[in-house]
């Protein structure tokens, strides 16, 4: 679901911030996940070596991507898998639709795939009269609530169990007022089991695609990808071009990092390797670009393509934790999403690189060592240069540059400021001043450093 | 053709060749200590699995008889457990027909101490959906089949050929509702691991 309201991150965050106890709860929950990540990371003495190795493998991938993609394709075809290529979201969606149409299928079960979120596949298929059911519990919950996921690993992290209880009561017939996670999960199990057993088509994402063997790996805790894929006659796997890793043995590096970083588990319950289709069934892989090759050409930002979608940067981000995933109005929220989105549409996502404190925590936890906060800083510069920054910000920056380049103006401005703060604090401590919204304005000194220094110099003489 | 368009764009934008790192150091580290069975048991139990150290097949049968009442549908992929329906004999049945399976018992030849994962390929599963669709899953593994980390696991898998394979590290689970861990999402509600000593 796109940002239909056209609101920016600060505006959407302000809506989320209206409910303060919920913000605190959101903040604490994600920090708890971040701490679980730390515990797992500290258990492995080789953690930093693993990160560095993963980063170097991905470096190699990005520098040879065209070769690896061709190698992957050739091996996959050799394994009996059918490979498609999609330049953009529209082409991806059309391929999925055509594959279903050819078989006269109008109902599909889907496992979690942030790429299909990025492509808005569900809405597209709905318009074509095809019913898609998301099978990951968190995804199913937000789907029933008619919302996009707010986190790439924890899709309904923003929802309280009572709200989920209401949604299940309305759509799945659970008892009114029931909010026990165990009972609600059992309700979803029964409902989705029927879905798995009746759908002829299953779509999944891809966590890793191996050039050397042509196989691909999907990681889930629920087993929903496997239930869908093994019971359907056609399995469609959608993957971004950056999901490639060179050899099977490299999985030994990435699978050790992925869930430790994501949820603080040593590995997902299921890490499934699909190489050949099951007898009597078909596997189709759709390799999707959708702006990734452009990002590859942006030297400052290509490292973002190393991302393995663990969500660690979101869990640690002080801005994400306090503004909620929906405030980012893009499929991948948080720090990494804020680097990826402006590549797709710089104007639409010009606000996102500014939704960060640049504290660097995201870069510190990133399992593939993406320099996330540096890239956010660099995007800001590109966005301002290209003229996409918000007007108010542009004017303020220009005024600031003008003032700072003129010592006289800087001195008199400072003096004026101190007078205003002292005698007319209401002139700055009000709702019209965006800086005041979430901060106390500082107490100003009686004199500037310059004034103090010259006085001191005079006194000494 | 999008294929050519994408490959051309990628080719144009990829930078100078960066070499692959050496995995030798990572592969030679065995940070999980010497007692792999103990390490495996502790990690797998924390992940919700029931781990039993057993001497022989008879001991496994005794536990299974205690846990599962007669009359329920039990499928075994292990010839030694021949009192149950042998998975190899029902290969022609549709995957959907296993929806009422109470327990599936399979053998793994590779387990990982650092994360409790068990490697199973299609040839051990017989039918891909079996370890997922059953209400409960049991896996038998020899003590000698445990390795310290995923690095050694992939060294062992090497370039083996399989149509499908999976690392399974516990019962199906979810924590999507307020991060409360619930065992039994879509797949098995329990995983019993029998380590043959």
């Amino acid at each position: 679901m796109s940002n239909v309201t056209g609101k920016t991150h600060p505006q959407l965050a302000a809506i989320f911030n209206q409910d303060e106890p919920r913000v605190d709860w959101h903040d604490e929950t994600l920090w708890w996940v971040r701490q679980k990540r730390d515990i797992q990371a500290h258990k492995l003495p080789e953690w930093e070596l693993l990160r560095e190795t993963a980063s170097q493998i991905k470096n190699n991938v990005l520098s040879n991507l065209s070769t690896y993609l061709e190698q992957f394709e050739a091996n996959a075809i050799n394994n009996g898998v059918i490979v498609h290529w999609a330049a953009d979201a529209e082409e991806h969606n059309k391929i999925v639709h055509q594959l279903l149409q050819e078989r006269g299928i109008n109902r599909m079960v889907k496992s979690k795939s942030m790429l299909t979120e990025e492509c808005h596949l569900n809405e597209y298929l709905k318009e074509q009269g095809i019913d898609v059911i998301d099978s990951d519990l968190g995804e199913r919950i937000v789907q029933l609530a008619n919302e996009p996921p707010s986190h790439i690993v924890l899709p309904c992290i923003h929802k309280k169990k009572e709200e989920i209880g209401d949604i299940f009561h309305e759509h799945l017939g659970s008892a009114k007022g029931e909010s026990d996670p165990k009972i609600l999960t059992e309700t979803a199990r029964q409902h989705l089991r029927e879905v798995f057993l009746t759908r002829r088509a299953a779509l999944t994402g891809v966590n890793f695609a191996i050039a050397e063997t042509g196989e691909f790996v999907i990681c889930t805790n629920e087993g929903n990808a496997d239930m869908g894929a093994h019971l359907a006659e056609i399995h469609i796997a959608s993957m971004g071009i950056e999901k490639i890793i060179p050899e099977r043995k490299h999985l030994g590096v990435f699978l050790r990092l992925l869930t430790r970083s994501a949820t603080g588990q040593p590995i997902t319950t299921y890490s499934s390797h699909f190489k050949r289709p099951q007898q009597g069934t078909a596997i189709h892989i759709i390799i999707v670009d959708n702006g990734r090759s452009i990002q590859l050409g942006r030297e400052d930002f290509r490292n973002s393509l190393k991302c393995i979608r663990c969500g660690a940067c979101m869990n640690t981000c002080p801005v994400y934790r306090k503004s909620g995933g929906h405030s980012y109005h893009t499929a991948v929220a948080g720090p990494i999403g804020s680097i990826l989105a402006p590549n797709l549409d710089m104007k639409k996502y010009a606000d996102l690189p500014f939704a960060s404190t640049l504290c660097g925590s995201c870069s510190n936890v990133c399992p593939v060592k993406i320099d996330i906060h540096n890239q956010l800083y660099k995007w800001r510069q590109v966005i301002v240069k290209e003229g996409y920054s918000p007007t108010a910000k542009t004017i303020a920056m220009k005024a600031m540059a003008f003032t700072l380049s003129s010592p006289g103006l800087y001195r008199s401005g400072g003096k004026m400021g101190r007078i205003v703060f002292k005698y007319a604090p209401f002139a700055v401590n009000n709702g019209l001043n965006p800086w005041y919204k979430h901060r106390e304005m500082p107490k100003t000194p009686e004199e500037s450093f310059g004034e103090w220094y010259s006085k001191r110099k005079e006194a000494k003489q | 053709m999008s294929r050519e368009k994408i490959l051309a764009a990628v080719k144009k934008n990829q930078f100078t060749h960066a070499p692959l790192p050496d995995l030798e150091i990572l592969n030679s580290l065995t940070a999980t200590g010497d007692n792999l069975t103990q390490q495996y048991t502790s990690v797998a139990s924390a992940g919700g699995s029931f781990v039993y150290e057993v001497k022989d097949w008879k001991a496994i049968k005794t536990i299974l008889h205690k846990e599962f009442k007669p009359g329920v549908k039990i499928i075994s992929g292990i010839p030694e457990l021949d009192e149950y329906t042998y998975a190899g004999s029902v290969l022609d049945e549709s995957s959907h027909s296993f929806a009422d399976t109470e327990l599936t018992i399979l053998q793994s030849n590779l387990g990982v101490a650092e994360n409790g994962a068990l490697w199973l390929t299609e040839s051990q599963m017989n039918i891909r959906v079996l370890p997922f669709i059953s209400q409960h899953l049991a896996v038998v593994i020899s003590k000698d089949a445990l390795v310290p980390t995923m690095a050694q696991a992939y060294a062992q898998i090497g370039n083996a050929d399989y149509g499908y394979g999976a690392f399974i590290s516990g019962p199906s689970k979810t924590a999507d509702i307020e991060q409360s861990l619930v065992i039994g999402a879509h797949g098995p509600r329990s995983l019993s691991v029998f380590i043959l000593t």
Side-chain angles (χ1 to χ4, degrees):
Chain A
M1 247 159 277
S2 54
N3 178 21
V4 283
T5 56
K7 286 193 170 76
T8 61
H9 178 269
Q11 290 166 328
L12 292 163
I15 298 169
F16 185 73
N17 285 340
Q18 280 165 4
D19 186 350
E20 213 168 296
R22 181 183 290 254
V23 175
D24 292 343
W25 165 76
H26 190 261
D27 181 23
E28 284 158 18
T29 309
L30 287 153
W31 186 250
W32 177 66
V33 181
R34 148 81 210 249
Q35 285 175 316
K36 288 203 293 177
R37 171 255 172 221
D38 291 350
I39 293 167
Q40 285 296 335
H42 293 151
K43 272 188 190 163
L44 294 186
E46 66 267 43
W47 183 254
E48 287 306 314
L49 179 61
L50 269 173
R51 287 179 72 211
E52 182 56 34
T53 309
S55 185
Q56 285 182 24
I57 295 169
K58 282 286 185 178
N59 239 354
N60 170 268
V61 169
L62 296 180
S63 72
N64 294 287
L65 190 54
S66 63
T67 316
Y68 285 139
L69 282 167
E70 285 177 289
Q71 193 190 348
F72 173 74
E73 180 195 38
N75 286 323
I77 292 171
N78 203 29
N79 296 337
V81 169
I82 299 148
V83 180
H84 310 259
W85 298 74
D88 53 25
E90 196 192 345
E91 191 174 7
H92 166 266
N93 294 349
K94 280 188 174 154
I95 293 169
V96 175
H97 183 219
Q98 202 191 332
L99 288 172
L100 299 175
Q101 227 175 3
E102 278 166 8
R103 289 160 190 261
I105 296 174
N106 60 7
R107 302 191 306 169
M108 180 169 79
V109 64
K110 203 174 115 227
S111 164
K112 188 153 67 185
S113 144
M114 291 317 294
L115 175 59
T116 59
E117 285 294 328
E118 178 187 314
C119 294
H120 304 296
L121 175 73
N122 285 15
E123 293 96 309
Y124 173 85
L125 289 180
K126 198 176 173 184
E127 281 165 25
Q128 315 302 318
I130 288 169
D131 176 52
V132 180
I133 288 195
D134 277 308
S135 59
D136 171 87
L137 178 60
E139 286 248 307
R140 185 67 185 131
I141 291 165
V142 288
Q143 188 183 32
L144 289 173
N146 201 22
E147 287 175 20
S150 71
H151 187 292
I152 58 173
V153 175
L154 318 161
C156 67
I157 191 75
H158 60 291
K159 283 226 174 297
K160 296 267 192 183
K161 57 180 193 276
E162 290 76 17
E163 295 168 313
I164 296 167
D166 289 344
I167 294 167
F168 277 25
H169 171 65
E170 189 191 332
H171 296 277
L172 306 180
S174 60
K176 196 172 170 58
E178 182 58 69
S179 66
D180 181 346
K182 266 191 190 152
I183 294 171
L184 296 177
T185 302
E186 183 63 31
T187 306
R189 178 185 172 98
Q190 301 302 338
H191 152 67
L192 286 164
R193 189 156 265 251
E194 196 270 331
V195 172
F196 289 127
L197 286 165
T198 50
R199 293 307 186 265
R200 291 167 54 206
L203 188 143
T204 69
V206 168
N207 287 89
F208 304 100
I210 300 142
E212 175 195 36
T213 59
E215 73 197 291
F216 60 93
V217 175
I218 303 171
C219 306
T220 73
N221 279 318
E222 298 177 11
N224 55 316
D226 293 281
M227 280 292 272
H230 300 327
L231 290 170
E233 62 184 56
I234 174 173
H235 171 189
I236 305 169
S238 298
M239 64 172 264
I241 55 170
E242 83 285 12
K243 293 288 178 183
I244 292 273
I245 60 170
E247 296 165 47
R248 187 187 274 165
K249 68 180 179 199
H250 294 132
L251 287 169
V253 175
F254 291 104
L255 292 182
R256 297 183 77 189
L257 287 163
L258 180 64
T259 32
R260 284 188 171 97
S261 299
T263 52
Q265 289 172 259
I267 191 170
T268 43
T269 302
Y270 302 106
S271 308
S272 304
H273 301 48
F274 291 84
K275 195 173 173 202
R276 283 191 295 269
Q278 207 167 189
Q279 211 183 357
T281 70
I283 298 181
H284 290 254
I285 296 176
I286 310 175
I287 302 176
V288 185
D289 182 347
N290 205 33
R292 286 161 177 76
S293 62
I294 301 170
Q295 189 87 324
L296 186 64
R298 296 186 202 267
E299 204 181 334
D300 285 342
F301 304 108
R302 64 166 56 116
N303 267 348
S304 60
L305 296 173
K306 291 180 177 178
C307 177
I308 56 172
R309 304 289 193 269
C310 70
C313 61
M314 301 172 195
N315 303 340
T316 199
C317 178
V319 176
Y320 174 89
R321 285 187 276 123
K322 293 194 176 77
S323 60
H326 288 154
S327 67
Y328 291 81
H329 59 87
T330 172
V332 181
I336 185 68
S338 301
I339 315 175
L340 297 171
N343 173 61
L344 270 178
D345 188 338
M346 212 184 290
K347 191 170 176 221
K348 191 173 168 195
Y349 301 114
D351 54 329
L352 295 186
F354 295 90
S356 165
T357 61
L358 301 183
C359 68
S361 187
C362 45
S363 307
N364 286 336
V365 296
C366 178
V368 288
K369 286 195 167 182
I370 302 171
D371 51 336
I372 304 175
H373 73 295
N374 285 334
Q375 293 194 32
L376 288 166
Y377 179 57
K378 285 174 184 165
W379 262 129
R380 292 183 185 187
Q381 296 170 51
V382 174
I383 283 162
V384 171
K385 214 170 162 184
E386 303 278 326
Y388 291 122
S389 56
T391 322
K393 199 164 255 159
T394 314
I395 295 169
M397 296 295 276
K398 278 190 177 152
M400 189 61 96
F402 183 66
T403 312
L404 291 177
S405 62
S406 154
L409 199 61
Y410 174 73
R411 273 196 296 273
S412 56
K415 196 161 198 163
M416 281 275 279
R418 285 192 299 281
I419 292 167
V420 169
F421 269 100
K422 192 169 177 188
Y423 298 107
F426 50 85
V428 275
N429 294 348
N430 64 50
L432 292 173
N433 174 10
W435 188 257
Y436 176 65
K437 262 190 200 161
H438 303 287
R439 299 172 185 87
E440 290 288 326
M441 295 308 285
K443 284 209 166 54
T444 51
E446 291 291 324
E447 54 192 0
S448 74
F449 174 77
E451 288 166 349
W452 170 82
Y453 188 74
S454 44
K455 258 194 216 165
R456 184 176 167 274
K457 215 164 141 191
E458 274 168 31
K460 268 198 167 176
Q461 275 165 356
Chain B
M1 272 291 281
S2 292
R3 179 187 184 275
E4 277 63 42
K5 205 170 107 188
I6 294 166
L7 285 171
V10 168
K11 207 164 202 169
K12 190 179 127 231
N13 288 338
Q14 65 198 13
F15 46 103
T16 13
H17 175 79
L20 272 172
D22 188 3
L23 297 188
E24 205 45 51
I25 307 171
L26 279 173
N27 291 0
S28 61
L29 288 173
T30 51
T32 52
D34 299 328
N35 194 336
L36 296 180
T37 308
Q38 198 185 335
Q39 171 80 15
Y40 179 89
T41 306
S42 133
V43 176
S45 308
S49 302
F50 300 108
V51 185
Y52 305 90
E53 274 185 65
V54 287
K55 278 204 177 63
D56 50 24
W57 295 101
K58 210 181 134 206
I60 297 174
K61 285 181 190 175
T62 310
I63 296 168
L64 288 176
H65 285 164
K66 213 178 105 199
E67 297 294 327
F68 293 90
K69 307 223 162 2
V72 296
K73 184 166 170 180
I74 298 180
I75 296 182
S76 157
I78 306 174
E80 282 86 347
L81 296 171
D82 51 5
E83 63 196 275
Y84 307 113
T85 308
Y86 183 56
S89 66
V90 287
L91 281 177
D92 55 329
E93 285 184 28
S94 138
S95 290
H96 297 74
S97 68
F98 300 100
D100 59 347
T101 306
E102 187 66 14
L103 170 71
T104 293
I105 313 158
L106 302 171
Q107 182 150 17
S108 162
N109 297 322
L110 178 62
V112 189
E114 72 161 328
N115 56 25
L118 300 160
W119 175 245
L120 290 152
T121 62
E122 196 169 17
S123 65
Q124 289 145 339
M125 298 174 186
N126 293 279
I127 299 140
R128 286 187 195 183
V129 82
L130 268 182
F132 301 93
I133 204 167
S134 294
Q135 295 293 329
H136 300 273
L137 177 65
V139 178
V140 182
I141 185 165
S142 150
K143 181 174 170 276
D144 306 327
L146 296 178
V147 296
T149 76
M150 291 301 276
Q152 292 83 24
Y154 277 103
Q156 194 157 318
I157 294 170
N159 57 4
D161 190 28
Y162 47 76
Y164 169 81
F167 277 105
I168 299 178
S169 71
S172 163
K173 54 173 145 331
T174 182
D176 275 339
I177 302 176
E178 282 200 22
Q179 288 294 294
S180 309
L181 181 70
V182 181
I183 306 275
H186 309 295
R189 298 171 189 272
S190 76
L191 172 65
S192 305
V193 183
F194 296 101
I195 303 178
L196 270 172
T197 53

